[in-house]
Amino acid sequence: MDDSDTGAILAEDLESSDSSKVCCCFRVPQNKRPPPCSCPFSVTVEPVMFLSTFSMALQMPLYTQYLWDRISEDVGYNNGTKGGGCNASTVHDPLQKEVDTLTAHWNLYINLGGFVVGLIMVTLLGSWSDRAGRRLVLIIPSLGLAVQATVYLIVMYLKLPVFWFLIGRLCSGLSGDFNAILAGCFAYVADTSARGSRTFRVAILEACLGLAGMFASIIGGQWRRAQGYINPFWLVLATNLAAALYAYLFVPETVTPDPEAKLLSTRHHRAVYRLYASDAPQGRRTKLWLYTLCFFLVVSVHFGCSDLYVLYELSAPLCWGPELIGYGSAAKHLAYLTSLMGLRVMQCCLEDSWVALVGLSSNIVGLIVFSVANTTALMFTGYGLCFLFMASTPVLRSKLSTLVDPAEQGALFASVACVEGLCSLVSSGVFNSLYPATLHFMKGFPFIFGAAILFIPAGIIGGLGCQEKKESRENREGSGIS
């Protein structure tokens, strides 16, 4: 029996059971070694997602602020965050613009370097997990992120040039980066959920992203204010090691590991190519490409705007300090939880496509408010209006997953993770370049640009939703069902 047969049998078993209640202690299929320990709670990969996201959400604002402080010190700008906050009268200060520009550009260089390497590795790791097992794709990237945190700590202790942040980022990229963890977690959920419950199961994973991000943002802002940058980064290192340890000890395997599976093989890329080249059943290829395009545009806007929130808040006219930046980041991540609750409620009366449209509408309105926010109250109003902005991505992941066979889930989520890496690459280049280029006429222009882009996936999802509804009605009429 090969891997595809095993995957199909596992999927059939799950379709006939209540797969909305998946326990990490579920019966391990034959030929699969159980984990060393048993988990007493009804969770599987959720703690891995939580811990990895916590470390990422804790380090990203602090890392951007550290770059800001170091560059401010290098260029002799005395109104940075170290000096107690900026002054609204410095909105046209050329030194502040230079700090904004250099920080955005270094963000771009570091992200480009890491994501280019990660883009290649995540495709290999995701598809490789179909044969080697899902647990390895959870453990290896977690260890890579731990190496990145170690390099960052060394840079801060020794005050090395900011170029060394790029070295740490490349180490993470070589292990698949955070996107490989996302690919492994979502593929795992696809292995262990029925189609009817998959959207909500995916939304639970994305809610873990928000919950971890909210806690990390609140802790990070207060901690940085009290003790600086170094101690929080020790926690980043510890949480990445904890994620790897949990995956090894408690996560059961859903794929029969093949001892002859090779990581460095063109087979993995061919599997992704066949996935998008095949049109069986008829019409699948078009939908797969269109939903992937929607996912690319939505996630690119999310990533691109997230890169700019801290920069936008640090400088005039908002002049936020670390505490307010932490609260703002927490408010942004709280939307993951409100999106989960909103999705659950909306699924009672709306189809998934219309749930996604509501989520996109929330995102568009919030970005428009961000673009003109010149006070703290208006900025938090924007965060409040984005309370459903994450309702669209679980729907898109679920629709992509239901378009392919159970034996193709690894290749699919490898490609989705590859798209996420490409999103980070493109959004970093576009938004981090657009921000300094438009400072002279409208500081919030990148948010307007992001809102305009979101109208494209809204139109595609609406069109495909109408088409799917029509096809469903025709099928019911053809079968004589009223």
Side-chain angles (χ1 to χ4, degrees):
M1 181 182 294
D2 60 17
D3 291 343
S4 61
D5 294 334
T6 304
I9 292 172
L10 177 59
E12 290 172 2
D13 291 342
L14 289 165
E15 290 285 352
S16 62
S17 65
D18 183 8
S19 58
S20 63
K21 299 178 180 178
V22 180
C23 176
C24 73
C25 307
F26 65 79
R27 180 179 58 85
V28 178
Q30 292 182 353
N31 301 324
K32 297 182 180 69
R33 181 182 298 175
C37 303
S38 297
C39 176
F41 306 107
S42 297
V43 293
T44 49
V45 292
E46 289 83 1
V48 177
M49 180 72 86
F50 180 90
L51 291 169
S52 299
T53 306
F54 182 88
S55 71
M56 292 295 294
L58 183 61
Q59 77 176 6
M60 288 308 294
L62 297 176
Y63 147 80
T64 303
Q65 290 176 78
Y66 183 82
L67 278 179
W68 170 279
D69 282 351
R70 281 292 301 274
I71 292 171
S72 295
E73 184 179 335
D74 291 342
V75 303
Y77 179 57
N78 296 320
N79 284 331
T81 54
K82 273 189 174 183
C86 65
N87 191 307
S89 63
T90 66
V91 66
H92 300 297
D93 188 337
L95 276 180
Q96 178 186 300
K97 289 185 178 180
E98 183 180 358
V99 172
D100 276 349
T101 301
L102 287 173
T103 305
H105 284 169
W106 270 110
N107 263 330
L108 170 61
Y109 304 148
I110 293 167
N111 286 335
L112 281 176
F115 288 127
V116 166
V117 176
L119 191 68
I120 299 170
M121 291 304 301
V122 73
T123 308
L124 291 174
L125 287 167
S127 186
W128 180 60
S129 70
D130 279 334
R131 302 186 65 199
R134 306 289 186 213
R135 292 170 66 205
L136 285 173
V137 184
L138 302 176
I139 295 171
I140 294 173
S142 297
L143 295 177
L145 289 169
V147 172
Q148 174 185 290
T150 302
V151 174
Y152 284 10
L153 280 168
I154 294 172
V155 171
M156 293 175 187
Y157 271 114
L158 301 180
K159 290 201 171 182
L160 299 177
V162 294
F163 166 78
W164 286 93
F165 279 116
L166 176 60
I167 304 300
R169 196 74 181 80
L170 291 175
C171 293
S172 175
L174 287 171
S175 67
D177 201 43
F178 180 63
N179 286 327
I181 296 176
L182 293 178
C185 288
F186 286 116
Y188 196 99
V189 165
D191 289 341
T192 57
S193 65
R195 293 193 175 193
S197 63
R198 191 163 301 164
T199 299
F200 187 64
R201 285 292 311 281
V202 169
I204 290 175
L205 271 185
E206 296 207 352
C208 290
L209 295 173
L211 188 63
M214 182 175 62
F215 286 139
S217 300
I218 295 174
I219 293 171
Q222 299 281 3
W223 202 352
R224 182 267 179 201
R225 186 180 183 184
Q227 296 185 348
Y229 295 103
I230 291 178
N231 287 342
F233 269 87
W234 277 109
L235 182 59
V236 171
L237 174 61
T239 50
N240 284 315
L241 293 175
L245 184 63
Y246 175 88
Y248 172 74
L249 292 177
F250 296 109
V251 177
E253 185 57 77
T254 59
V255 174
T256 303
D258 181 358
E260 298 182 357
K262 296 180 180 180
L263 174 60
L264 301 178
S265 171
T266 59
R267 169 178 178 163
H268 309 309
H269 294 99
R270 291 199 305 268
V272 175
Y273 170 78
R274 287 194 300 268
L275 183 70
Y276 282 87
S278 173
D279 197 33
Q282 187 176 6
R284 185 189 81 159
R285 180 173 56 194
T286 301
K287 291 182 179 179
L288 208 57
W289 278 105
L290 287 175
Y291 279 127
T292 301
L293 174 62
C294 291
F295 185 83
F296 171 79
L297 293 174
V298 172
V299 176
S300 291
V301 172
H302 289 175
F303 284 171
C305 292
S306 293
D307 281 348
L308 300 181
Y309 286 134
V310 175
L311 280 177
Y312 190 80
E313 294 159 356
L314 274 171
S315 56
L318 292 176
C319 300
W320 283 11
E323 185 175 2
L324 274 177
I325 288 173
Y327 288 137
S329 187
K332 181 186 71 174
H333 286 97
L334 182 62
Y336 285 79
L337 295 180
T338 55
S339 295
L340 172 65
M341 294 184 288
L343 182 145
R344 190 60 166 174
V345 171
M346 288 187 289
Q347 279 187 322
C348 298
C349 55
L350 294 175
E351 295 180 357
D352 281 356
S353 295
W354 316 127
V355 172
L357 290 179
V358 173
L360 289 174
S361 300
S362 174
N363 200 356
I364 291 169
V365 173
L367 288 176
I368 292 173
V369 173
F370 287 141
S371 70
V372 296
N374 55 7
T375 65
T376 296
L378 198 55
M379 194 70 187
F380 277 105
T381 299
Y383 283 126
L385 291 171
C386 283
F387 76 108
L388 291 175
F389 89 109
M390 286 304 300
S392 56
T393 48
V395 172
L396 291 171
R397 290 185 199 271
S398 178
K399 284 188 174 292
L400 286 167
S401 179
T402 54
L403 285 172
V404 304
D405 294 332
E408 297 175 309
Q409 295 296 334
L412 171 72
F413 282 101
S415 67
V416 171
C418 185
V419 169
E420 288 194 72
L422 186 61
C423 289
S424 298
L425 179 69
V426 172
S427 64
S428 293
V430 172
F431 283 83
N432 280 295
S433 298
L434 189 63
Y435 179 72
T438 57
L439 278 172
H440 65 284
F441 70 90
M442 184 180 182
K443 188 177 180 181
F445 179 80
F447 299 127
I448 290 285
F449 177 72
I453 289 176
L454 291 180
F455 281 101
I456 300 173
I460 295 174
I461 293 171
L464 288 176
C466 291
Q467 178 186 348
E468 290 168 0
K469 187 174 182 180
K470 180 180 177 181
E471 291 173 353
S472 177
R473 184 171 61 249
E474 289 175 351
N475 290 337
R476 288 198 303 269
E477 292 173 354
S479 60
I481 299 175
S482 57

